[in-house]
Amino acid sequence: MSRYLLPLSLLGTAVGGAVLLKDYVGGGACPSKATIPGKTVIVTGANTGIGKQTALELAKRGGNIILACRDMEKCEAAAKDIRGQTLNHHVNARYLDLSSLKSVRDFARKIIEEEERVDILVNNAAVMRCPHWTTEDGFEMQFGVNHLGHFLLTNLLLDKLKASAPSRIINLSSLAHVAGHIDFDDLNWEKKKYDTKAAYCQSKLAIVLFTKELSRRLQGTGVTANTLHPGVARTELGRHTGMRTSTFSSFTLGAIFWLLVKSPQLAAQPSTYLAVAEELESVSGKYFSGLKEKAPAPEAEDEEVARRLWAESARLVGLDMSDGSSDGGQPLPK
């Protein structure tokens, strides 16, 4: 019997070490214990994955949570589940389709009319490496949903966020932004051959640039804006990548994926941290990888590119000053 003790001990040590390494690589849990009673939080794409887990974490902390989703059946189910897990009855589902500018405007209008305040806006929803689809308004789907939809939504809610200050905007980007490039001559892939990976990277770079320019415009308002890479998570976001159905990915790279790919719960910790941490109340315009502030890609730091992207985004979505957009914008036709 004793001859088995050493191998079993070594196996236990190896498994324990692997679990600890996975936790280290994943970034760990949100270190802040801050609560947010009475604060209103909007989380887009909150019916599943990182969005749902972020909403759950913030509901545990006492917030009034609004799940903003396109699939209302899943959204209602997620809200019910979160209410059941947290015993927080201030968790509600609202319809929002970020691929439709009309839907974004309708959602924002109802929030402005019905909610006294908006303290935290988590722009979480995304599509990843989908086929060459276009939005209702004719934009390339990834650029339209990941960037333009959130760009318009945020601007429409800025007056409410300012009135609720100190308040926070959290934009989910991705490490993929480092491979992105903003092609101002063909943002919507109308001229060149469509590359779904490059389109995704462009959309995620746009989010970092948007956050940088937004933060500049919000100086002195009490509203902060930060962006983050949550890590690679096991969610429905990657359903178009082929990794789920790839035998090579599933078996050959299984151990690597287990180590590097986070659970949605762990991937939601950075969003939670940026939403609640007291030490981040005045931090703005920064990029976080997991729970740590990091330098983004060089193009993401280019202020001229950020300003130009803002102006072009405003033109594309028909944003003007009467929409409640932040200072510095120019009136544009709808």
Side-chain angles (χ1 to χ4, degrees):
M1 181 68 180
S2 60
R3 69 178 182 271
Y4 297 112
L5 293 179
L6 182 58
L8 286 172
S9 177
L10 291 173
L11 177 62
T13 300
V15 171
V19 171
L20 289 173
L21 179 60
K22 179 176 175 62
D23 185 65
Y24 173 78
V25 172
C30 172
S32 175
K33 304 301 181 185
T35 58
I36 52 171
K39 292 192 174 184
T40 296
V41 181
I42 298 173
V43 184
T44 68
N47 62 331
T48 188
I50 297 173
K52 181 182 177 183
Q53 288 298 319
T54 300
L56 175 66
E57 293 288 339
L58 297 176
K60 288 178 182 177
R61 296 169 186 259
N64 168 32
I65 313 298
I66 297 171
L67 281 60
C69 313
R70 181 175 58 85
D71 187 325
M72 283 305 293
E73 184 177 350
K74 289 183 178 180
C75 195
E76 293 283 6
K80 182 179 180 180
D81 183 42
I82 293 171
R83 289 193 296 268
Q85 288 193 53
T86 64
L87 301 182
N88 179 346
H89 298 292
H90 301 290
V91 180
N92 296 287
R94 297 281 190 96
Y95 178 74
L96 171 64
D97 181 357
L98 287 159
S99 69
S100 164
L101 297 183
K102 180 182 184 301
S103 176
V104 173
R105 290 181 182 278
D106 289 344
F107 174 85
R109 186 177 301 112
K110 290 179 181 177
I111 292 295
I112 292 168
E113 292 173 354
E114 299 174 9
E115 299 296 328
E116 291 184 10
R117 55 190 303 114
V118 174
D119 301 273
I120 301 168
L121 172 61
V122 183
N123 289 320
N124 164 85
V127 290
M128 178 183 179
R129 297 178 67 175
C130 60
H132 193 185
W133 296 336
T134 56
T135 70
E136 177 180 291
D137 304 280
F139 306 127
E140 186 274 320
M141 185 64 73
Q142 297 181 88
F143 188 71
V145 170
N146 300 352
H147 171 59
L148 291 177
H150 284 129
F151 174 86
L152 178 59
L153 175 64
T154 302
N155 274 282
L156 295 178
L157 295 178
L158 277 184
D159 283 347
K160 185 69 76 172
L161 285 155
K162 290 176 183 177
S164 308
S167 52
R168 307 185 188 195
I169 300 165
I170 297 103
N171 296 325
L172 270 73
S173 181
S174 167
L175 180 61
H177 85 275
V178 303
H181 171 67
I182 305 299
D183 183 357
F184 287 105
D185 292 328
D186 193 17
L187 285 172
N188 283 297
W189 296 83
E190 296 167 323
K191 302 174 183 177
K192 56 184 177 288
K193 182 180 179 181
Y194 188 66
D195 182 331
T196 185
K197 181 179 178 181
Y200 178 73
C201 294
Q202 175 184 249
S203 75
K204 290 300 182 177
L205 174 59
I207 292 169
V208 183
L209 288 162
F210 163 48
T211 305
K212 183 178 184 66
E213 178 64 8
L214 177 63
S215 175
R216 185 188 72 80
R217 290 170 176 249
L218 290 173
Q219 290 177 11
T221 66
V223 184
T224 61
N226 291 291
T227 186
L228 65 95
H229 166 57
V232 181
R234 293 189 299 272
T235 70
E236 293 181 8
L237 182 61
R239 61 188 176 274
H240 298 297
T241 64
M243 290 174 64
R244 290 184 173 187
T245 56
S246 169
T247 302
F248 177 79
S249 296
S250 299
F251 293 97
T252 308
L253 301 178
I256 297 174
F257 285 166
W258 179 85
L259 179 63
L260 298 179
V261 177
K262 298 181 179 182
S263 66
Q265 180 182 9
L266 195 58
Q269 299 306 305
S271 300
T272 304
Y273 178 56
L274 266 63
V276 305
E278 294 169 342
E279 62 269 27
L280 299 180
E281 184 171 309
S282 60
V283 174
S284 188
K286 304 301 182 181
Y287 171 79
F288 285 75
S289 180
L291 301 171
K292 297 183 181 297
E293 182 185 332
K294 296 287 181 67
E299 188 171 345
E301 300 270 33
D302 192 318
E303 294 182 1
E304 182 178 346
V305 172
R307 288 191 178 97
R308 185 179 177 188
L309 178 63
W310 183 286
E312 184 62 13
S313 300
R315 184 188 70 80
L316 289 171
V317 303
L319 185 70
D320 63 27
M321 294 301 289
S322 65
D323 287 319
S325 57
S326 62
D327 60 332
Q330 295 297 318
L332 294 160
K334 292 193 176 183

